[in-house]
Amino acid sequence: MSIDWDRRTCARKGHVTYAPDDPRLRLRLHAETALGEVWRCLRCGDFVLGEPHGSGPAAEAPLVPRGKVLRDLFILRFLSIERAVRGVFIVLVAVAVWKFSNSQDAVRRLFNQNLDVFRPVFKHFHYDLDHSPVVGSIQKAFGYKHSTLLLVAALLLAYALIELVEAVGLWYAKRWAEYLTVVATAAFLPLEIYELTEKVSYLKIATLVLNILAVLYIAVAKRLFGLRGGRRAFEEERQSASLLEVEESAGVMV
């Protein structure tokens, strides 16, 4: 089932009407009814009862995203939310690492005490905690220097900042954010692939697939790095969907 992005957006945000100065276009966008005058919505094309929201030259009509542009905006905002959630999570991890670095000895003693308590319980289920990969990784972390942990926390915060900046930029469909997302995401793909060679999990696979699709979609759909005509073709496509909506709604060939 195809989605009517124009009517979906109008139902949520309301219609956008405009009265152009050109009498020929004005006549095609305007009608009189028993209930009063109606104007054609620049987004969905439906006639709307009441005064127009604006008027002036057709070239100065408001930029109203339509059709494919709205679909692209929806996808960008989905990616924006995913980046925001990931950024907040990484911030929490960075804070945890920082707190751990300041109380490393106390955490080690507490961990070893609990390990002694749970060792017989796990042994009953034939699980040796002393040879557990998870326990080994935690004990290895206790051996890290305080300065090393602080560096890890700082790097995590820097990564989280990139994710949050991407989230804000993608939400507002900024072109610089699209470039940043493609470059930053592609840069971490080798690391994600390497992690899969160490240990495979559904979460890692899903994250890798999502990031690859995000890179390909944004680069191709937004015509980044000169793809499919580059920025010039992107602006022409955007104008044909937004700047000339008056002519499109009126059915005038341009």
Side-chain angles (χ1 to χ4, degrees):
M1 181 183 297
S2 62
I3 299 176
D4 190 333
W5 293 100
D6 298 332
R7 285 187 170 84
R8 177 182 179 273
T9 304
C10 283
R12 187 164 52 90
K13 293 185 176 181
H15 297 286
V16 180
T17 55
Y18 186 80
D21 292 341
D22 187 336
R24 182 170 55 96
L25 295 180
R26 192 182 187 95
L27 180 63
R28 300 179 69 100
L29 292 173
H30 175 260
E32 292 287 347
T33 69
L35 297 177
E37 63 176 354
V38 293
W39 291 88
R40 182 170 292 176
C41 176
L42 301 183
R43 182 184 291 116
C44 68
D46 291 344
F47 280 98
V48 182
L49 185 66
E51 294 287 334
H53 296 131
S55 61
E60 296 180 8
L63 296 175
V64 182
R66 304 176 68 241
K68 181 178 177 293
V69 177
L70 287 175
R71 184 201 64 189
D72 292 344
L73 183 59
F74 176 83
I75 296 175
L76 287 179
R77 290 191 168 178
F78 170 80
L79 294 174
S80 169
I81 294 173
E82 185 269 336
R83 258 52 180 182
V85 171
R86 188 191 303 182
V88 171
F89 175 76
I90 296 173
V91 168
L92 295 177
V93 173
V95 172
V97 171
W98 174 73
K99 288 187 175 181
F100 171 73
S101 69
N102 293 325
S103 55
Q104 198 170 349
D105 293 334
V107 174
R108 179 193 289 112
R109 288 193 299 269
L110 180 62
F111 177 79
N112 289 332
Q113 291 173 3
N114 289 324
L115 191 64
D116 292 335
V117 172
F118 286 104
R119 186 178 285 109
V121 177
F122 279 86
K123 188 175 182 180
H124 178 74
F125 292 98
H126 306 287
Y127 187 85
D128 188 2
L129 285 179
D130 293 324
H131 295 86
S132 168
V134 176
V135 173
S137 299
I138 295 175
Q139 290 176 333
K140 184 179 180 180
F142 289 138
Y144 293 150
K145 295 180 180 179
H146 176 71
S147 58
T148 301
L149 293 174
L150 288 179
L151 177 60
V152 171
L155 291 175
L156 286 172
L157 282 177
Y159 180 42
L161 179 62
I162 293 175
E163 294 289 286
L164 294 175
V165 170
E166 285 181 29
V168 174
L170 289 177
W171 183 267
Y172 291 103
K174 299 298 184 181
R175 194 161 178 82
W176 60 260
E178 296 165 359
Y179 275 103
L180 176 61
T181 300
V182 170
V183 172
T185 304
F188 283 99
L189 287 180
L191 178 60
E192 295 179 10
I193 295 174
Y194 173 76
E195 289 181 349
L196 278 175
T197 63
E198 295 291 317
K199 183 179 180 181
V200 178
S201 70
Y202 290 114
L203 179 60
K204 290 181 179 179
I205 293 175
T207 301
L208 177 62
V209 171
L210 178 62
N211 286 335
I212 291 176
L213 291 176
V215 168
L216 293 176
Y217 173 79
I218 296 177
V220 175
K222 296 299 183 177
R223 305 172 188 266
L224 304 182
F225 307 104
L227 295 176
R228 300 174 58 225
R231 185 181 185 89
R232 181 176 179 179
F234 170 76
E235 292 296 337
E236 290 176 355
E237 181 183 56
R238 183 171 179 267
Q239 288 178 359
S240 67
S242 300
L243 186 60
L244 303 182
E245 66 271 26
V246 173
E247 288 84 350
E248 290 184 357
S249 296
V252 177
M253 298 299 294
V254 294

